[in-house]
Amino acid sequence: MKPPETIEEELAIISDAIEAGIDPFTPLNEPSRVGKLALGWFLILLMLSWASQILYHSV
């Protein structure tokens, strides 16, 4: 299927999807707590690694 070229074509596709029972505007998922914690610890370790490299090279 080619992308719509005009706004009218896009509106027609959206209205067809709504009539078929498909929600074209699904809400975004909330980020999980485990993912936030993993990302936070990864960034902490990355910053500690950078700081230790800078301190090692400066000595």
Side-chain angles (χ1 to χ4, degrees):
M1 183 176 173
K2 64 179 179 125
E5 295 180 2
T6 63
I7 294 175
E8 289 81 13
E9 291 176 3
E10 190 167 351
L11 290 175
I13 292 170
I14 292 172
S15 68
D16 291 341
I18 291 173
E19 289 175 6
I22 301 170
D23 185 12
F25 306 107
T26 56
L28 297 176
N29 293 339
E30 292 293 323
S32 68
R33 180 171 171 83
V34 174
K36 286 182 184 179
L37 284 172
L39 181 61
W41 279 109
F42 173 74
L43 290 175
I44 288 170
L45 290 175
L46 191 65
M47 287 186 283
L48 287 174
S49 171
W50 288 344
S52 66
Q53 285 180 2
I54 290 171
L55 289 173
Y56 179 76
H57 289 294
S58 68
V59 172

